Amino acid sequence: MTLWQLKTFATVARERSFTKAGKTLNISQPSVSSLVIGLQKELGIKLFEKLGMKPHLTEAGRRVLQLVESALAIIEKIPQEIDEVKGRHRLRIGGSALAAASFLPVAVQEFKKHHPEVDIVLKIERTDSLEKNLLEGELDMAILGWAPRSSLLAREPYREEEVCVIAPPNHPLTKKRFVSLELLMQQPLILQGRNNPIREMVEKKVVAKGLSLIRRLEVNDEFGGRDIIRSAVTKGLGIGFVSKCHVLGDVAARRLKVLTVPELKLKRTMYIVLHKRREVPASTQGFIRFLKKYKYKE
């Protein structure tokens, strides 16, 4: 059996799709199938069974996957061990847009001042992409804007970021000291797509008050939803909901105003996320300790 066969098998198991595994590995779906079939023949067991539209691991497949993931984790440590032998330390950090806008780049720069021997790569991406990078061993750690979905990723709450209600400066509600949730729901609302954490928090609060989100413009997260919302609100198309760190510049420049809605006090939690089954390098441990003591300015 080859390393490529094992990696392909593990990717299919994680993606639960031969087609998605092919895209992840940059090979064709038939090549993925061929590699998995070859591995099954060599082991003399069936690794997957078809239940519905997706492949599911057999009991033997689950046991093999545990061994393969352990083996891949060891293999992925080889470059790190070589770097340490050469006297270098590598730290690969991922950050969601929320972390990038609020504190992470400055924190990384400050850490680098005290640890010039550490080679740091900072990757800013969508949370789902960062989860994938962590699972595939391409990142040592990440700061995510919501809790990871995979059970293979360990999370630790790190800090909270306020979610605010934004309106154009000339909107009638900006003249009010406080705005009721009921009055807010009578306005045209601009929301990100479903499964967005801010959208989910707002809907939960509104439903709890017996209200509903009726009048709204919905923005697709795939196309820079947060920035589209800021622009749409600035142009007077409605009221929006965003993390405060993303609109500090707009508020300071008086392009936007923040409404005070006492019934809608929302905060997003950011998490420090690691892979459960991979050993945490010393450089990563050091950066996490630094983050927990780091004092950042809003």
Side-chain angles (χ1 to χ4, degrees):
M1 75 187 72
T2 67
L3 177 60
W4 192 232
Q5 282 178 313
L6 298 178
K7 188 171 183 179
T8 301
F9 160 65
T11 305
V12 173
R14 183 168 59 246
E15 298 286 357
R16 295 185 64 189
S17 166
F18 283 76
T19 301
K20 289 182 179 179
K23 291 180 180 179
T24 298
L25 298 170
N26 201 27
I27 60 176
S28 66
Q29 187 271 335
S31 296
V32 173
S33 298
S34 178
L35 287 164
V36 172
I37 290 171
L39 180 60
Q40 290 183 142
K41 287 182 178 179
E42 192 166 344
L43 294 175
I45 57 174
K46 192 174 182 180
L47 298 170
F48 293 102
E49 56 187 350
K50 196 74 176 290
L51 299 174
M53 299 298 293
K54 295 183 178 181
H56 292 256
L57 287 167
T58 61
E59 179 58 33
R62 283 190 285 272
R63 294 189 182 187
V64 171
L65 180 62
Q66 292 177 350
L67 295 172
V68 169
E69 286 183 332
S70 298
L72 291 175
I74 293 172
I75 291 169
E76 287 166 1
K77 285 179 58 181
I78 293 175
Q80 176 190 324
E81 294 295 329
I82 292 175
D83 281 347
E84 291 183 1
V85 168
K86 291 179 179 179
R88 296 202 309 269
H89 300 275
R90 182 181 58 171
L91 176 55
R92 301 166 302 169
I93 307 168
S96 66
L98 182 61
S102 53
F103 76 97
L104 189 55
V106 177
V108 168
Q109 185 179 35
E110 189 66 24
F111 179 78
K112 182 69 175 175
K113 288 180 183 178
H114 297 89
H115 301 276
E117 77 284 359
V118 180
D119 294 328
I120 302 178
V121 175
L122 175 59
K123 183 176 184 179
I124 305 301
E125 264 284 5
R126 288 171 55 93
T127 292
D128 51 0
S129 296
L130 295 176
E131 278 196 45
K132 186 177 180 182
N133 291 155
L134 282 166
L135 290 169
E136 294 175 353
E138 296 177 7
L139 291 173
D140 299 308
M141 63 166 291
I143 308 295
L144 303 185
W146 66 71
R149 294 180 174 87
S150 174
S151 60
L152 292 175
L153 299 178
R155 73 191 190 205
E156 179 182 353
Y158 173 57
R159 64 165 288 188
E160 292 184 328
E161 179 68 30
E162 182 183 346
V163 174
C164 61
V165 184
I166 54 173
N170 59 349
H171 195 284
L173 293 186
T174 60
K175 299 176 182 179
K176 293 181 175 291
R177 185 179 178 187
F178 301 107
V179 178
S180 70
L181 187 57
E182 184 176 2
L183 179 58
L184 186 68
M185 290 303 104
Q186 296 171 16
Q187 310 301 314
L189 303 178
I190 305 172
L191 300 171
Q192 294 195 10
R194 295 195 178 276
N195 298 322
N196 176 274
I198 293 180
R199 163 77 172 265
E200 290 178 351
M201 286 190 290
V202 171
E203 286 187 330
K204 187 175 180 180
K205 285 279 189 178
V206 170
V207 170
K209 290 290 184 179
L211 303 171
S212 59
L213 295 166
I214 299 175
R215 302 168 63 190
R216 65 173 183 263
L217 169 66
E218 189 167 299
V219 175
N220 192 326
D221 291 1
E222 295 284 338
F223 302 100
R226 177 185 62 255
D227 293 330
I228 294 174
I229 287 176
R230 288 167 51 210
S231 177
V233 173
T234 300
K235 292 177 172 60
L237 299 182
I239 304 294
F241 307 86
V242 293
S243 297
K244 186 178 179 180
C245 61
H246 293 306
V247 293
L248 291 177
D250 293 306
V251 173
R254 298 183 179 180
R255 291 188 293 268
L256 292 171
K257 281 204 171 184
V258 174
L259 303 179
T260 301
V261 186
E263 300 164 278
L264 203 62
K265 291 184 177 180
L266 303 175
K267 290 187 177 181
R268 286 185 65 180
T269 301
M270 279 182 269
Y271 297 87
I272 296 173
V273 182
L274 301 165
H275 198 297
K276 288 181 180 178
R277 296 182 181 176
R278 292 195 175 95
E279 185 177 341
V280 182
S283 55
T284 305
Q285 294 177 26
F287 183 66
I288 291 173
R289 287 195 298 270
F290 168 81
L291 279 182
K292 291 179 178 180
K293 295 179 180 178
Y294 178 64
K295 302 297 183 183
Y296 40 80
K297 295 181 180 179
E298 295 290 349

